[in-house]
């Protein structure tokens, strides 16, 4: 069997894959906990998360030009910093994102059929794994449909909220004090950073296309265009949604909401839209799950090629040109987790692991040379800001998340040491 994947994705498909990864269920739930941490500083937390995400995305895109292979930061860390750092990035991604896959599958089940969430979750994993098995073009086509549905639902939420009598621009506060919403928590630097960490997780799919670098046409031109474009579009969408929901509910009520978008349209007098929001959340979770399985299987492929995972997982299907064994293995593990364990409340380490993953990407980008001194300075400034941002935001996460994330990284380091011996 050939070991190389086929380059079939253009700029539009790459942007759609990025949108599908980022417009996940996080936007339907993350605003609540973020407002609970930052209060009226929610929009500042969004700005910090966007800045860190932008630096990480540009570092990843720049690295993908030199290393247009499957695996993303696993490959970049291995080539620029050494085998250990590549392994650690791959470990953090595969372990953390496998748990995220199971959690997202359970989210789909909860929205579609709460009484049979585990069964629906397993069915979703099986169907999406089968779609991915049929080729990356089929995955991109399905992602287009999902993205269109989610964008339509979010647009409806924004229009209904901002056009209602319940909307009050004074509730935005812009982080200048709590007088705009006395029911919210005080605005603090740590609260804003913690909100940024929670919101960053919703951005975490922006560089998914770099993980699929081996399947992108003309990666030197496509990836640097697609990554910032996808990130910019999602930032605009998130900003509109955050402003709309915050102006209707206020930071205090938003921080106490488990379903902020549904509560916002209900407060705006459009209760009929609540079922539509649930459909949008289910579709968003499906899109994120589809992109997650794609990303984890490609990183698994890259690690199998280097012998860090069973080499049989590196096989590429001669007809569909996908890492079919890696995809089936990832799908099977996720299906078992989704069928037996409720991991939605036990993956606090995932945000920490994602930030560690991109910290290694930024450190790798720092080592890059460039033809021009000006370009080299820009690359290093972005890498430095992204690296510092990842570390600061990671340490600002809730203590259990930091402890769990650090434990996962230490376990990965121990596994590497044992394998070396």
């Amino acid at each position: 069997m050939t070991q190389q994947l086929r380059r079939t994705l253009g700029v539009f498909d790459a942007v759609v894959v990025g949108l599908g990864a980022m417009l996940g269920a996080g936007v339907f739930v993350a605003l609540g906990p973020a407002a609970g941490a930052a209060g009226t500083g929610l929009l500042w937390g969004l700005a910090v998360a966007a800045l860190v995400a932008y630096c990480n995305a540009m570092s990843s895109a720049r690295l993908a030009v030199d290393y247009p292979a499957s695996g993303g930061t696993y490959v970049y860390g291995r080539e620029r910093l050494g085998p250990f750092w590549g392994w650690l990035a791959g470990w953090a991604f595969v372990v953390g994102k496998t748990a995220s896959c199971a959690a997202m599958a359970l989210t789909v089940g909860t929205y579609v059929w709460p009484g049979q969430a585990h069964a629906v979750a397993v069915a979703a994993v099986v169907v999406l794994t089968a779609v991915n098995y049929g080729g990356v073009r089929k995955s991109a086509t399905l992602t287009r449909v999902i993205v269109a549905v989610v964008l339509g639902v979010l647009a409806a939420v924004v229009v209904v909220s901002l056009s209602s009598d319940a909307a009050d621009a004074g509730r935005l506060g812009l982080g200048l004090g709590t007088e705009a919403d006395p029911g919210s928590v005080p605005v603090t630097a740590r609260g804003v950073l913690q909100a940024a960490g929670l919101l960053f997780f919703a951005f975490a799919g922006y560089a998914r296309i770099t993980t699929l670098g081996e399947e992108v046409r003309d990666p030197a031109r496509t990836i640097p265009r697609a990554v910032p474009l996808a990130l910019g579009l999602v930032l605009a969408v998130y900003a509109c949604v955050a402003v709309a929901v915050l102006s209707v509910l206020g930071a205090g009520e938003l921080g106490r909401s488990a379903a902020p978008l549904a509560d916002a349209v209900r407060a705006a007098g459009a209760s009929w839209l609540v079922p539509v929001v649930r459909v949008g959340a289910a579709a968003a979770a499906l899109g994120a799950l589809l992109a997650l399985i794609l990303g984890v299987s490609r990183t698994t492929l890259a690690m199998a090629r280097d012998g860090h995972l069973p080499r049989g997982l590196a096989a590429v299907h001669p007809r569909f040109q996908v890492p079919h064994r890696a995809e089936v293995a990832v799908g099977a593990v996720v299906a078992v987790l989704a069928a037996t364990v409720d991991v939605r409340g036990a993956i606090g380490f995932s945000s920490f692991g994602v930030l560690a993953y991109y910290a290694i990407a930024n450190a790798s980008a720092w080592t890059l040379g460039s033809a021009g001194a000006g370009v080299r300075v820009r690359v290093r400034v972005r890498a430095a800001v992204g690296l510092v941002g990842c570390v600061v935001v990671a340490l600002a996460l809730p203590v259990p998340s930091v402890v769990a994330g650090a434990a996962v990284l230490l376990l990965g380091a121990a596994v590497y040491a044992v394998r070396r011996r």
Side-chain angles (χ1 to χ4, degrees):
M1 293 184 181
T2 177
Q3 299 299 302
Q4 296 300 314
L5 303 179
R6 181 183 299 160
R7 298 191 182 278
T8 59
L9 300 177
V11 174
F12 180 77
D13 289 324
V15 171
V16 169
V17 169
L19 291 176
M22 285 183 280
L23 292 175
V27 68
F28 290 85
V29 296
L31 292 174
T40 53
L42 172 65
L43 296 181
W44 290 112
L46 180 63
V48 172
L51 174 62
V52 175
Y54 169 76
C55 293
N56 294 348
M58 296 310 296
S59 292
S60 297
R62 178 63 184 81
L63 287 158
V65 171
D66 288 353
Y67 305 100
S70 292
T73 300
Y74 165 73
V75 174
Y76 313 149
R78 180 194 67 196
E79 297 297 325
R80 305 303 307 183
L81 303 176
F84 170 74
W85 295 105
W87 158 264
L88 196 64
W91 169 269
F93 187 86
V94 170
V95 174
K97 291 300 186 180
T98 298
S100 294
C101 286
M104 200 60 64
L106 284 168
T107 301
V108 174
T110 301
Y111 277 113
V112 174
W113 192 357
Q116 297 292 333
H118 288 280
V120 175
V122 172
V125 172
V126 171
V127 170
L128 295 184
T129 300
V131 171
N132 286 340
Y133 196 102
V136 72
R137 294 290 302 176
K138 290 184 174 61
S139 302
T141 299
L142 178 58
T143 303
R144 291 183 191 181
V145 176
I146 293 173
V147 167
V149 171
V150 176
L151 286 177
V153 172
L154 294 178
V157 171
V158 171
V159 171
V160 166
S161 298
L162 292 181
S163 62
S164 72
D165 295 335
D168 181 0
R171 294 193 178 108
L172 299 180
L174 297 179
L176 300 178
T178 58
E179 66 278 358
D181 188 355
S184 68
V185 300
V187 179
T188 64
R190 178 174 177 79
V192 170
L193 290 175
Q194 192 169 111
L198 296 168
L199 292 169
F200 177 84
F201 188 71
F203 281 108
Y206 52 80
R208 185 73 69 244
I209 192 60
T210 65
T211 310
L212 307 177
E214 199 171 313
E215 294 161 276
V216 176
R217 296 195 305 267
D218 193 6
R221 295 178 66 252
T222 299
I223 294 177
R225 291 181 180 181
V227 170
L229 183 56
L231 179 61
L233 290 172
V234 168
L235 174 59
V237 171
Y238 282 5
C240 291
V241 173
V243 167
V245 174
L246 193 58
S247 66
V248 171
L249 297 178
E253 187 175 348
L254 177 58
R256 295 185 291 272
S257 174
L261 271 63
D263 288 345
V265 296
R266 192 178 289 112
S271 297
W272 57 269
L273 194 56
V274 173
V276 178
V277 172
R278 291 180 62 86
V279 171
L286 281 172
L289 178 59
L290 179 64
L292 280 168
I293 294 175
L294 276 172
V296 174
S297 63
R298 270 57 179 182
T299 302
T300 300
L301 165 70
M303 296 179 75
R305 283 172 170 171
D306 292 341
H308 290 305
L309 293 174
R311 291 190 182 275
L313 296 176
V316 176
H317 197 282
R319 177 184 173 188
F320 300 121
Q321 293 293 294
V322 296
H324 59 296
R325 292 180 183 172
E327 288 186 339
V328 170
V330 170
V333 171
V334 173
V336 170
L337 287 175
T340 58
V341 182
D342 190 343
V343 296
R344 285 171 293 180
I347 59 167
F349 68 87
S350 187
S351 290
F352 189 93
V354 169
L355 287 161
Y357 175 85
Y358 285 114
I360 294 173
N362 283 302
S364 301
W366 175 269
T367 68
L368 288 172
S370 182
V375 175
R376 182 165 59 250
V377 169
R378 287 198 299 273
V379 169
R380 288 195 167 184
V381 168
R382 285 195 297 252
V385 173
L387 176 58
V388 173
C390 285
V391 173
V392 171
V393 172
L395 295 179
L397 288 168
V399 174
S401 298
V402 175
V403 172
V408 170
L409 294 181
L410 288 174
L411 178 60
V415 170
Y416 182 84
V418 171
R419 292 190 70 257
R420 284 294 296 268
R421 289 185 178 182

